[in-house]
Amino acid sequence: MESEPDMRELALLAVVAVLLIVVVSYAAPKLKVAAPVLLVLVGMACSRLPGAPELFVEPDLILVVVLPPILYAAAVNMPVVDFRRDLRPIGALSVVLVVVSAFGTGLLIWWLIPELGFATAVALGAVISPPDAVAATSIGKRLGLPPRLVTILEGEGLVNDATALVLLRTAVAAIAGTVSFWGALGDFAYAVVVGIAVGAVIGVVSVWARSRIRNQPVLTTAISFVVPFLAFIPAEEAHASGVIAVVAAGLITGHQSAKRFTAHDRISERTNWRTIQLLLENGVFLLMGFEITAVVADVRNSGEGVWSAVGIGLLATLTLIVLRAVFVVPLIAALRRQQRGAGERTDRIEAALDGLTARGPRPGTRKRYSAVTRVLRRRHADAAYFASEGLGWRGGGVLAWSGMRGVVTVAAAQSLPTDVPHRAELVLIAFTVAIVTLVVQGGTLPALIKLLGIQGTDAEHERRELARLATEIHTAAQALVENPALRRENGKPFDEAILGKSRRRTVATAEMIDKLLTERDDPDSPLQQRRELQRLLIDAMQNALLDARAGGTYSSHTLERAQHLIDTEAARFTA
């Protein structure tokens, strides 16, 4: 048996892992395969290389150190409005389906391995029940799945881990005979409610603290890095769901960022967390493939049959696929009914809004009038969304086939108590489910999407919607500069020449946005030529700055400020 790697070897492995993740993530779109699928296969191949070390990563390292930032990175980029609108299908998939899958596969495993006991079998069922949305959404976004379908998959991936981990905790307690049905139900409700409360508090407080720190992006980034753990650890210490706490904190942070953070902070937030998400998620998939050799060796050393465990894993995989497909049928039927009823609701709400607007507010009820109008407009927008963003049977086919397992399955399997009978075999069963679903379902999902002919949002509709929004933004900006009551912070009026220049610039910006919408697909349009020329000018400025840096005649502080100005200008034209 290979000896455990020392710190230098671990550091070298980490460097190689990052390089592999970058190479595979770059190559995967060109090969038209999801990066997680390729990384699992690359990890399996690397584990077979001569001299490859035997790795064992503590499951707590993944569940406590890796999982919170992964979930936070996904939650902070999830639009809260879309999450709220699709909360019902997300809840059905991430709670009801996970419980059904856990007990369904648990019964199968208990029947195949009776000496395990029902509670242990359900514990393994909880391990293999939550799908990981990473592979599905990476494929879906690349191939242009409808945004609503992507939202449901991402939302399911955010919440189902909490259901599975709470169910696993309950099942492990049941192995020792210390839990009842009503006790389990109460524990689940407590875990969800307290988890949401903790996450909400941390989200609100962290956003407030970061919004108070101005022009110091390094400090706000440092706070951002610890927010997932500030939410996860207290919730877990209170025996609630740390996963739910992290998701709640991320959703609040993402929703409040447009109002409370500066543009620079938002750009840094997106870049930093996308980088963290890329490395951590894909790192776990690479590790999953690499660890399979050690998992197989553990089964052999325990005297149990490797192929029998793989066979049970394949049966469990088939059961999970069937259960998900059966569950999706009534879910899609309900969504179709919702779409049919949404059109009628849209007309009724629109009529109520017209009547309310025509009548106007009564004396002394302006605040109530504004609140009612705001609620009706939001309901109208929701109904219009449901009417236009339907999810048909072809989308249901993609939803049913998007059941790839990943991060939580790998970590939770290895967190099973060491005194559980057939533990090594159970871990191999879980790994089999994860790898087979990733390779088979993840590998064939692009072909299924193309076969079903699913398309995303209509490009012309998206262009018109963007043009309408741009008009509203321009109108608000124009109204500000035309307002005669406009004053500086010290109460003095702005210089008329500056106001005139600002008005002309506002009009020019609106014209540029309009041209961008109409000419963006024409490579020879004046707008595209100006953008291309601007990039050449920026390159020329950058080369001149490099020459000045090489000459050594300017101070490093001056060079740094010049570089910042050029970078700002470049970002404005390459966004």
Coordinates of all heavy atoms in Angstrom, one line a residue, residues 259-347:
K259 N -28.3 47.3 -4.3 CA -28.7 48.5 -3.6 C -27.6 49.0 -2.6 O -27.4 50.2 -2.5 CB -30.0 48.3 -2.8 CG -30.6 49.5 -2.1 CD -31.6 49.2 -1.1 CE -32.6 48.1 -1.6 NZ -33.7 47.9 -0.6
R260 N -26.8 48.1 -2.0 CA -26.0 48.5 -0.9 C -24.5 48.5 -1.3 O -23.7 49.1 -0.6 CB -26.1 47.5 0.2 CG -27.6 47.4 0.7 CD -28.1 48.7 1.3 NE -27.4 49.1 2.5 CZ -27.7 48.7 3.7 NH1 -28.7 47.9 3.9 NH2 -27.0 49.1 4.7
F261 N -24.1 47.8 -2.4 CA -22.7 47.7 -2.7 C -22.3 48.7 -3.9 O -23.2 49.0 -4.7 CB -22.3 46.3 -3.1 CG -22.4 45.3 -2.0 CD1 -22.3 43.9 -2.2 CD2 -22.5 45.7 -0.7 CE1 -22.5 43.0 -1.2 CE2 -22.6 44.8 0.4 CZ -22.6 43.4 0.1
T262 N -21.0 49.0 -4.0 CA -20.6 49.8 -5.1 C -20.4 48.9 -6.3 O -20.3 47.7 -6.2 CB -19.2 50.5 -4.8 OG1 -18.2 49.5 -4.6 CG2 -19.3 51.3 -3.5
A263 N -20.3 49.5 -7.5 CA -20.1 48.8 -8.7 C -18.8 47.9 -8.6 O -18.8 46.8 -9.0 CB -20.0 49.7 -9.9
H264 N -17.7 48.5 -8.0 CA -16.5 47.8 -7.9 C -16.6 46.6 -7.0 O -16.1 45.5 -7.3 CB -15.4 48.7 -7.4 CG -14.0 48.2 -7.5 ND1 -13.5 47.2 -6.6 CD2 -13.0 48.4 -8.4 CE1 -12.3 46.9 -6.9 NE2 -11.9 47.7 -8.0
D265 N -17.4 46.7 -5.9 CA -17.6 45.6 -5.0 C -18.4 44.5 -5.7 O -18.1 43.3 -5.5 CB -18.3 46.1 -3.8 CG -17.4 46.9 -2.8 OD1 -16.2 46.8 -3.0 OD2 -18.0 47.6 -2.0
R266 N -19.4 44.9 -6.5 CA -20.2 43.9 -7.2 C -19.3 43.1 -8.2 O -19.5 41.9 -8.3 CB -21.4 44.5 -7.9 CG -22.4 45.0 -6.9 CD -23.7 45.3 -7.6 NE -23.6 46.4 -8.5 CZ -23.8 47.7 -8.2 NH1 -24.1 48.0 -7.0 NH2 -23.6 48.6 -9.1
I267 N -18.5 43.8 -8.9 CA -17.6 43.1 -9.9 C -16.7 42.2 -9.2 O -16.5 41.0 -9.6 CB -16.9 44.2 -10.7 CG1 -17.8 45.0 -11.6 CG2 -15.8 43.5 -11.6 CD1 -17.2 46.2 -12.3
S268 N -16.1 42.7 -8.1 CA -15.1 41.8 -7.4 C -15.9 40.6 -6.8 O -15.3 39.5 -6.8 CB -14.5 42.6 -6.2 OG -13.7 43.7 -6.7
E269 N -17.1 40.8 -6.3 CA -17.9 39.7 -5.7 C -18.1 38.6 -6.7 O -17.9 37.4 -6.5 CB -19.2 40.3 -5.2 CG -20.1 39.2 -4.6 CD -20.0 39.3 -3.0 OE1 -19.1 39.8 -2.5 OE2 -20.9 38.7 -2.4
R270 N -18.6 39.0 -7.9 CA -18.8 38.0 -9.0 C -17.6 37.3 -9.4 O -17.6 36.0 -9.4 CB -19.4 38.7 -10.2 CG -20.9 39.1 -10.0 CD -21.5 39.5 -11.4 NE -20.9 40.7 -11.9 CZ -21.3 41.9 -11.8 NH1 -22.4 42.1 -11.0 NH2 -20.7 42.9 -12.4
T271 N -16.5 38.0 -9.6 CA -15.3 37.4 -10.1 C -14.7 36.4 -9.0 O -14.3 35.3 -9.3 CB -14.2 38.4 -10.4 OG1 -14.8 39.3 -11.4 CG2 -13.0 37.8 -11.0
N272 N -14.6 36.9 -7.8 CA -14.0 36.1 -6.7 C -14.8 34.8 -6.4 O -14.2 33.7 -6.3 CB -13.9 36.9 -5.4 CG -12.9 38.0 -5.5 OD1 -12.0 38.0 -6.3 ND2 -13.2 39.1 -4.7
W273 N -16.1 35.0 -6.3 CA -16.9 33.8 -6.0 C -17.1 32.8 -7.2 O -17.2 31.6 -7.0 CB -18.3 34.2 -5.4 CG -18.2 34.6 -4.0 CD1 -18.2 35.8 -3.5 CD2 -17.9 33.7 -2.9 NE1 -18.0 35.8 -2.1 CE2 -17.8 34.5 -1.8 CE3 -17.6 32.4 -2.8 CZ2 -17.5 34.0 -0.5 CZ3 -17.4 31.8 -1.5 CH2 -17.3 32.7 -0.4
R274 N -17.1 33.3 -8.4 CA -17.1 32.4 -9.5 C -15.8 31.6 -9.6 O -15.7 30.4 -9.9 CB -17.3 33.1 -10.8 CG -18.7 33.6 -11.0 CD -18.9 34.4 -12.2 NE -20.3 34.8 -12.4 CZ -20.7 35.7 -13.2 NH1 -19.9 36.4 -14.0 NH2 -22.0 36.1 -13.3
T275 N -14.7 32.2 -9.2 CA -13.4 31.5 -9.2 C -13.4 30.5 -8.1 O -13.0 29.3 -8.3 CB -12.2 32.5 -8.9 OG1 -12.2 33.5 -10.0 CG2 -10.9 31.8 -9.0
I276 N -13.8 30.9 -6.9 CA -13.9 29.9 -5.8 C -14.8 28.7 -6.1 O -14.5 27.6 -5.9 CB -14.4 30.6 -4.5 CG1 -13.3 31.6 -4.0 CG2 -14.7 29.6 -3.4 CD1 -13.8 32.5 -2.9
Q277 N -16.0 29.0 -6.7 CA -16.9 28.0 -7.1 C -16.3 27.0 -8.1 O -16.4 25.8 -8.0 CB -18.2 28.7 -7.7 CG -19.3 27.7 -7.9 CD -20.6 28.4 -8.4 OE1 -20.5 29.5 -8.9 NE2 -21.7 27.9 -8.1
L278 N -15.6 27.6 -9.1 CA -15.0 26.7 -10.1 C -14.0 25.8 -9.5 O -14.0 24.6 -9.8 CB -14.3 27.6 -11.1 CG -13.4 26.9 -12.1 CD1 -14.2 26.2 -13.2 CD2 -12.4 27.9 -12.8
L279 N -13.1 26.3 -8.6 CA -12.0 25.5 -8.1 C -12.6 24.4 -7.1 O -12.2 23.3 -7.1 CB -11.0 26.3 -7.4 CG -10.2 27.3 -8.3 CD1 -9.2 28.1 -7.5 CD2 -9.4 26.5 -9.3
L280 N -13.5 24.8 -6.2 CA -14.0 23.9 -5.2 C -14.9 22.8 -5.8 O -14.7 21.6 -5.5 CB -14.7 24.7 -4.1 CG -13.9 25.6 -3.2 CD1 -14.7 26.3 -2.2 CD2 -12.7 24.8 -2.6
E281 N -15.9 23.2 -6.6 CA -16.8 22.3 -7.2 C -16.0 21.3 -8.0 O -16.2 20.0 -7.9 CB -17.9 23.0 -8.0 CG -19.0 23.6 -7.2 CD -20.0 24.3 -8.0 OE1 -19.7 24.5 -9.2 OE2 -21.1 24.6 -7.5
N282 N -15.3 21.8 -9.0 CA -14.6 20.9 -9.9 C -13.5 20.1 -9.2 O -13.1 19.0 -9.6 CB -14.0 21.7 -11.0 CG -15.0 22.2 -12.0 OD1 -16.1 21.6 -12.2 ND2 -14.8 23.4 -12.5
G283 N -12.9 20.7 -8.1 CA -11.9 20.0 -7.3 C -12.5 18.7 -6.7 O -11.9 17.7 -6.6
V284 N -13.8 18.8 -6.2 CA -14.4 17.7 -5.6 C -14.7 16.6 -6.6 O -14.5 15.4 -6.4 CB -15.7 18.1 -4.9 CG1 -16.5 16.9 -4.4 CG2 -15.4 19.0 -3.7
F285 N -15.1 17.0 -7.8 CA -15.3 16.0 -8.9 C -14.0 15.3 -9.3 O -14.0 14.1 -9.5 CB -15.9 16.7 -10.1 CG -17.4 17.1 -9.9 CD1 -17.7 18.4 -10.0 CD2 -18.3 16.2 -9.6 CE1 -19.0 18.8 -9.8 CE2 -19.7 16.5 -9.4 CZ -20.0 17.9 -9.5
L286 N -12.9 16.1 -9.3 CA -11.6 15.4 -9.6 C -11.2 14.5 -8.5 O -10.8 13.4 -8.7 CB -10.6 16.6 -9.8 CG -9.2 16.1 -10.1 CD1 -9.1 15.5 -11.5 CD2 -8.2 17.3 -10.1
L287 N -11.5 14.9 -7.3 CA -11.2 14.1 -6.1 C -12.0 12.8 -6.1 O -11.6 11.7 -5.7 CB -11.4 14.9 -4.8 CG -11.1 14.1 -3.5 CD1 -9.7 13.8 -3.4 CD2 -11.6 15.0 -2.3
M288 N -13.3 12.9 -6.5 CA -14.2 11.8 -6.6 C -13.6 10.7 -7.5 O -13.6 9.5 -7.1 CB -15.6 12.2 -7.1 CG -16.6 11.1 -7.1 SD -18.1 11.6 -8.1 CE -18.5 13.1 -7.3
G289 N -13.2 11.1 -8.6 CA -12.6 10.1 -9.5 C -11.3 9.5 -9.0 O -11.0 8.3 -9.1
F290 N -10.5 10.4 -8.3 CA -9.2 9.9 -7.8 C -9.4 8.9 -6.6 O -8.6 8.0 -6.5 CB -8.4 11.1 -7.4 CG -6.9 10.9 -7.2 CD1 -6.0 11.0 -8.2 CD2 -6.4 10.4 -6.0 CE1 -4.7 10.8 -8.1 CE2 -5.1 10.1 -5.8 CZ -4.2 10.3 -6.9
E291 N -10.4 9.2 -5.8 CA -10.6 8.4 -4.6 C -11.2 7.0 -4.9 O -11.2 6.1 -4.0 CB -11.5 9.1 -3.6 CG -10.7 10.1 -2.8 CD -11.6 10.6 -1.6 OE1 -12.8 10.6 -1.8 OE2 -11.1 10.9 -0.6
I292 N -11.7 6.8 -6.1 CA -12.4 5.5 -6.3 C -11.5 4.3 -6.2 O -11.9 3.3 -5.7 CB -13.1 5.5 -7.7 CG1 -14.0 4.4 -7.9 CG2 -12.0 5.6 -8.8 CD1 -15.2 4.3 -7.0
T293 N -10.2 4.5 -6.5 CA -9.3 3.4 -6.3 C -9.1 3.0 -4.9 O -9.1 1.8 -4.5 CB -7.9 3.8 -6.9 OG1 -8.0 4.1 -8.3 CG2 -6.9 2.6 -6.8
A294 N -9.0 4.0 -4.0 CA -8.9 3.7 -2.6 C -10.2 3.1 -2.0 O -10.1 2.3 -1.1 CB -8.5 5.0 -1.8
V295 N -11.3 3.6 -2.5 CA -12.6 3.0 -2.0 C -12.7 1.6 -2.4 O -13.1 0.7 -1.6 CB -13.8 3.8 -2.6 CG1 -15.1 3.2 -2.3 CG2 -13.8 5.3 -2.1
V296 N -12.3 1.2 -3.6 CA -12.3 -0.2 -4.0 C -11.4 -1.0 -3.2 O -11.7 -2.1 -2.8 CB -12.0 -0.3 -5.5 CG1 -11.8 -1.7 -6.0 CG2 -13.1 0.3 -6.4
A297 N -10.2 -0.5 -2.9 CA -9.2 -1.2 -2.1 C -9.8 -1.4 -0.7 O -9.6 -2.5 -0.1 CB -7.9 -0.4 -2.0
D298 N -10.5 -0.5 -0.1 CA -11.1 -0.7 1.2 C -12.1 -1.8 1.2 O -12.2 -2.6 2.2 CB -11.8 0.6 1.7 CG -10.8 1.7 2.1 OD1 -9.6 1.4 2.3 OD2 -11.2 2.9 2.1
V299 N -12.9 -1.9 0.1 CA -13.9 -3.0 0.1 C -13.2 -4.4 0.0 O -13.5 -5.3 0.6 CB -14.8 -2.8 -1.2 CG1 -15.7 -4.0 -1.3 CG2 -15.6 -1.5 -1.0
R300 N -12.1 -4.4 -0.8 CA -11.4 -5.7 -0.9 C -10.7 -6.1 0.4 O -10.7 -7.2 0.8 CB -10.3 -5.5 -2.0 CG -10.9 -5.6 -3.4 CD -9.8 -5.4 -4.5 NE -10.4 -5.5 -5.8 CZ -9.8 -5.0 -6.9 NH1 -8.7 -4.2 -6.8 NH2 -10.4 -5.1 -8.1
N301 N -10.2 -5.1 1.1 CA -9.5 -5.4 2.4 C -10.5 -5.8 3.4 O -10.2 -6.5 4.4 CB -8.8 -4.1 2.9 CG -7.6 -3.7 2.0 OD1 -7.0 -4.6 1.3 ND2 -7.2 -2.5 2.0
S302 N -11.8 -5.4 3.3 CA -12.8 -5.8 4.3 C -13.4 -7.2 4.0 O -14.2 -7.7 4.8 CB -13.9 -4.8 4.3 OG -14.6 -4.8 3.0
G303 N -12.9 -7.8 2.9 CA -13.4 -9.1 2.5 C -14.7 -9.1 1.8 O -15.3 -10.2 1.6
E304 N -15.3 -8.0 1.4 CA -16.6 -8.0 0.8 C -16.4 -7.9 -0.7 O -15.3 -7.6 -1.2 CB -17.4 -6.7 1.3 CG -17.7 -6.8 2.8 CD -18.3 -5.5 3.3 OE1 -18.3 -4.5 2.6 OE2 -18.8 -5.5 4.4
G305 N -17.5 -8.2 -1.4 CA -17.4 -8.2 -2.9 C -17.5 -6.9 -3.5 O -18.5 -6.1 -3.3
V306 N -16.5 -6.6 -4.4 CA -16.5 -5.3 -5.1 C -17.7 -5.2 -6.1 O -18.4 -4.3 -6.1 CB -15.2 -5.0 -5.8 CG1 -15.2 -3.8 -6.7 CG2 -14.1 -4.9 -4.7
W307 N -17.8 -6.3 -6.9 CA -18.8 -6.3 -7.9 C -20.2 -6.3 -7.4 O -21.1 -5.8 -8.0 CB -18.5 -7.4 -8.9 CG -17.2 -7.1 -9.7 CD1 -16.1 -7.8 -9.6 CD2 -17.0 -6.1 -10.7 NE1 -15.1 -7.3 -10.5 CE2 -15.7 -6.2 -11.1 CE3 -17.9 -5.1 -11.2 CZ2 -15.2 -5.3 -12.1 CZ3 -17.3 -4.2 -12.1 CH2 -16.0 -4.3 -12.6
S308 N -20.4 -7.0 -6.3 CA -21.7 -7.0 -5.7 C -22.1 -5.6 -5.2 O -23.3 -5.1 -5.4 CB -21.8 -7.9 -4.5 OG -21.0 -7.5 -3.4
A309 N -21.2 -4.8 -4.7 CA -21.4 -3.4 -4.3 C -21.7 -2.6 -5.5 O -22.6 -1.7 -5.5 CB -20.3 -2.9 -3.5
V310 N -20.9 -2.8 -6.6 CA -21.1 -2.0 -7.8 C -22.5 -2.3 -8.4 O -23.3 -1.5 -8.9 CB -20.0 -2.3 -8.8 CG1 -20.4 -1.7 -10.2 CG2 -18.7 -1.8 -8.3
G311 N -22.9 -3.6 -8.3 CA -24.2 -4.0 -8.8 C -25.3 -3.4 -8.1 O -26.3 -2.9 -8.6
I312 N -25.2 -3.4 -6.7 CA -26.2 -2.7 -5.9 C -26.3 -1.2 -6.2 O -27.3 -0.6 -6.3 CB -26.0 -2.9 -4.4 CG1 -26.1 -4.4 -4.1 CG2 -26.9 -2.1 -3.6 CD1 -25.7 -4.8 -2.7
G313 N -25.1 -0.6 -6.4 CA -25.0 0.8 -6.8 C -25.8 1.1 -8.1 O -26.5 2.1 -8.3
L314 N -25.6 0.2 -9.1 CA -26.3 0.3 -10.4 C -27.8 0.2 -10.2 O -28.6 0.9 -10.8 CB -25.8 -0.7 -11.4 CG -24.3 -0.5 -11.8 CD1 -23.9 -1.7 -12.7 CD2 -24.1 0.8 -12.6
L315 N -28.2 -0.8 -9.4 CA -29.7 -0.9 -9.1 C -30.2 0.4 -8.4 O -31.3 0.8 -8.7 CB -29.9 -2.1 -8.3 CG -29.8 -3.5 -9.0 CD1 -30.0 -4.6 -8.0 CD2 -30.9 -3.6 -10.1
A316 N -29.5 0.9 -7.5 CA -29.9 2.1 -6.8 C -30.0 3.3 -7.8 O -30.9 4.1 -7.7 CB -28.9 2.4 -5.6
T317 N -29.0 3.3 -8.7 CA -29.0 4.4 -9.7 C -30.3 4.3 -10.6 O -31.0 5.3 -10.8 CB -27.8 4.3 -10.6 OG1 -26.6 4.4 -9.8 CG2 -27.8 5.4 -11.6
L318 N -30.6 3.1 -11.0 CA -31.8 2.9 -11.8 C -33.1 3.3 -11.0 O -34.0 3.9 -11.6 CB -31.9 1.4 -12.3 CG -33.1 1.0 -13.1 CD1 -33.1 1.8 -14.4 CD2 -33.1 -0.4 -13.4
T319 N -33.1 2.9 -9.7 CA -34.2 3.3 -8.9 C -34.4 4.8 -8.8 O -35.5 5.4 -8.9 CB -34.1 2.7 -7.5 OG1 -33.9 1.2 -7.6 CG2 -35.3 3.0 -6.6
L320 N -33.3 5.5 -8.6 CA -33.3 6.9 -8.5 C -33.8 7.6 -9.8 O -34.6 8.5 -9.7 CB -31.9 7.5 -8.1 CG -31.4 7.2 -6.7 CD1 -29.9 7.5 -6.6 CD2 -32.2 8.0 -5.7
I321 N -33.3 7.1 -10.9 CA -33.8 7.6 -12.2 C -35.3 7.4 -12.4 O -36.0 8.4 -12.8 CB -33.0 7.0 -13.3 CG1 -31.5 7.4 -13.3 CG2 -33.6 7.3 -14.7 CD1 -30.6 6.6 -14.3
V322 N -35.8 6.2 -12.1 CA -37.2 5.9 -12.2 C -38.0 6.8 -11.3 O -39.1 7.4 -11.7 CB -37.5 4.4 -12.0 CG1 -39.0 4.2 -11.9 CG2 -36.8 3.6 -13.1
L323 N -37.6 6.9 -10.0 CA -38.4 7.7 -9.0 C -38.4 9.2 -9.5 O -39.5 9.8 -9.4 CB -37.7 7.6 -7.7 CG -37.9 6.3 -6.9 CD1 -37.1 6.3 -5.6 CD2 -39.4 6.1 -6.6
R324 N -37.3 9.7 -10.0 CA -37.3 11.1 -10.4 C -38.2 11.3 -11.6 O -38.9 12.3 -11.7 CB -35.9 11.5 -10.8 CG -35.7 13.0 -11.1 CD -34.3 13.4 -11.3 NE -34.2 14.8 -11.6 CZ -34.0 15.8 -10.7 NH1 -34.0 15.5 -9.4 NH2 -33.9 17.1 -11.1
A325 N -38.2 10.4 -12.6 CA -39.0 10.5 -13.8 C -40.5 10.4 -13.4 O -41.3 11.2 -13.9 CB -38.7 9.4 -14.8
V326 N -40.8 9.5 -12.5 CA -42.2 9.4 -12.1 C -42.7 10.7 -11.3 O -43.8 11.1 -11.5 CB -42.4 8.1 -11.2 CG1 -43.8 8.1 -10.5 CG2 -42.2 6.9 -12.0
F327 N -41.8 11.2 -10.5 CA -42.1 12.4 -9.7 C -42.3 13.6 -10.6 O -43.1 14.5 -10.3 CB -41.0 12.7 -8.7 CG -41.3 13.7 -7.7 CD1 -42.0 13.4 -6.5 CD2 -40.9 15.0 -7.9 CE1 -42.3 14.4 -5.6 CE2 -41.2 16.0 -7.0 CZ -41.9 15.7 -5.9
V328 N -41.5 13.7 -11.7 CA -41.5 14.9 -12.6 C -42.9 15.0 -13.3 O -43.3 16.1 -13.7 CB -40.3 14.9 -13.5 CG1 -40.5 15.8 -14.7 CG2 -39.0 15.2 -12.7
V329 N -43.5 13.8 -13.6 CA -44.7 13.8 -14.4 C -45.8 14.7 -13.8 O -46.3 15.6 -14.4 CB -45.2 12.4 -14.7 CG1 -46.6 12.4 -15.3 CG2 -44.2 11.6 -15.6
P330 N -46.2 14.4 -12.5 CA -47.2 15.3 -11.9 C -46.7 16.8 -11.7 O -47.5 17.7 -11.7 CB -47.6 14.7 -10.6 CG -46.4 13.8 -10.3 CD -45.9 13.3 -11.6
L331 N -45.4 16.9 -11.5 CA -44.9 18.3 -11.3 C -45.1 19.1 -12.6 O -45.5 20.3 -12.5 CB -43.4 18.2 -10.9 CG -42.7 19.5 -10.8 CD1 -43.2 20.3 -9.6 CD2 -41.2 19.3 -10.5
I332 N -44.7 18.5 -13.7 CA -44.9 19.2 -15.0 C -46.4 19.5 -15.3 O -46.8 20.6 -15.8 CB -44.2 18.5 -16.1 CG1 -42.7 18.4 -15.9 CG2 -44.5 19.1 -17.5 CD1 -42.0 19.7 -15.9
A333 N -47.2 18.5 -14.9 CA -48.7 18.7 -15.1 C -49.2 19.9 -14.3 O -50.0 20.7 -14.8 CB -49.4 17.5 -14.8
A334 N -48.7 20.0 -13.1 CA -49.1 21.2 -12.2 C -48.6 22.5 -12.8 O -49.3 23.5 -12.8 CB -48.5 20.9 -10.8
L335 N -47.3 22.5 -13.3 CA -46.8 23.7 -13.9 C -47.5 24.1 -15.1 O -47.7 25.3 -15.4 CB -45.3 23.5 -14.2 CG -44.4 23.4 -13.0 CD1 -42.9 23.1 -13.4 CD2 -44.4 24.6 -12.1
R336 N -48.0 23.2 -15.9 CA -48.8 23.5 -17.1 C -50.2 24.0 -16.7 O -50.7 25.0 -17.4 CB -48.9 22.2 -18.0 CG -47.6 21.8 -18.7 CD -47.8 20.5 -19.4 NE -48.7 20.5 -20.5 CZ -48.4 20.8 -21.7 NH1 -47.2 21.3 -22.0 NH2 -49.4 20.8 -22.6
R337 N -50.8 23.5 -15.7 CA -52.0 24.1 -15.2 C -51.8 25.5 -14.7 O -52.6 26.4 -14.9 CB -52.6 23.2 -14.1 CG -53.2 21.9 -14.5 CD -54.1 21.3 -13.4 NE -53.3 21.1 -12.2 CZ -52.7 19.9 -11.9 NH1 -52.7 18.9 -12.8 NH2 -52.0 19.8 -10.8
Q338 N -50.7 25.7 -14.0 CA -50.4 27.0 -13.6 C -50.2 28.0 -14.7 O -50.7 29.2 -14.7 CB -49.1 27.0 -12.8 CG -48.6 28.3 -12.2 CD -47.2 28.3 -11.6 OE1 -46.3 27.8 -12.3 NE2 -47.1 28.7 -10.4
Q339 N -49.6 27.6 -15.8 CA -49.4 28.4 -17.0 C -50.8 28.8 -17.6 O -51.0 29.9 -18.0 CB -48.5 27.8 -18.0 CG -48.2 28.6 -19.2 CD -47.4 27.9 -20.3 OE1 -47.3 26.7 -20.3 NE2 -46.8 28.7 -21.2
R340 N -51.7 27.8 -17.7 CA -53.0 28.1 -18.3 C -53.8 29.1 -17.5 O -54.5 29.9 -18.0 CB -53.8 26.8 -18.5 CG -53.2 25.9 -19.6 CD -54.2 24.8 -19.9 NE -54.3 23.8 -18.8 CZ -53.6 22.7 -18.6 NH1 -52.7 22.4 -19.5 NH2 -53.8 21.9 -17.6
G341 N -53.7 28.9 -16.1 CA -54.4 29.9 -15.3 C -53.8 31.2 -15.1 O -54.4 32.2 -14.8
A342 N -52.5 31.3 -15.5 CA -51.8 32.6 -15.3 C -52.3 33.6 -16.3 O -52.3 34.8 -15.9 CB -50.3 32.4 -15.5
G343 N -52.7 33.2 -17.5 CA -53.2 34.2 -18.4 C -54.4 34.9 -18.0 O -54.6 36.1 -18.1
E344 N -55.3 34.1 -17.4 CA -56.6 34.7 -16.8 C -56.3 35.6 -15.7 O -56.9 36.7 -15.5 CB -57.5 33.6 -16.4 CG -58.0 32.7 -17.5 CD -58.9 31.6 -17.1 OE1 -59.2 31.5 -15.8 OE2 -59.3 30.7 -17.9
R345 N -55.3 35.2 -14.8 CA -55.0 36.1 -13.7 C -54.4 37.4 -14.1 O -54.6 38.4 -13.5 CB -54.0 35.3 -12.7 CG -54.7 34.3 -11.9 CD -53.8 33.9 -10.7 NE -52.5 33.6 -11.0 CZ -52.0 32.4 -11.4 NH1 -52.9 31.4 -11.5 NH2 -50.8 32.2 -11.7
T346 N -53.6 37.3 -15.2 CA -52.9 38.5 -15.7 C -54.0 39.5 -16.1 O -53.9 40.7 -15.8 CB -52.0 38.2 -16.9 OG1 -51.1 37.2 -16.5 CG2 -51.3 39.4 -17.4
D347 N -55.0 39.0 -16.8 CA -56.1 40.0 -17.3 C -56.8 40.5 -16.1 O -57.1 41.8 -16.1 CB -57.1 39.2 -18.2 CG -56.4 38.8 -19.5 OD1 -55.4 39.4 -19.9 OD2 -56.9 37.8 -20.1

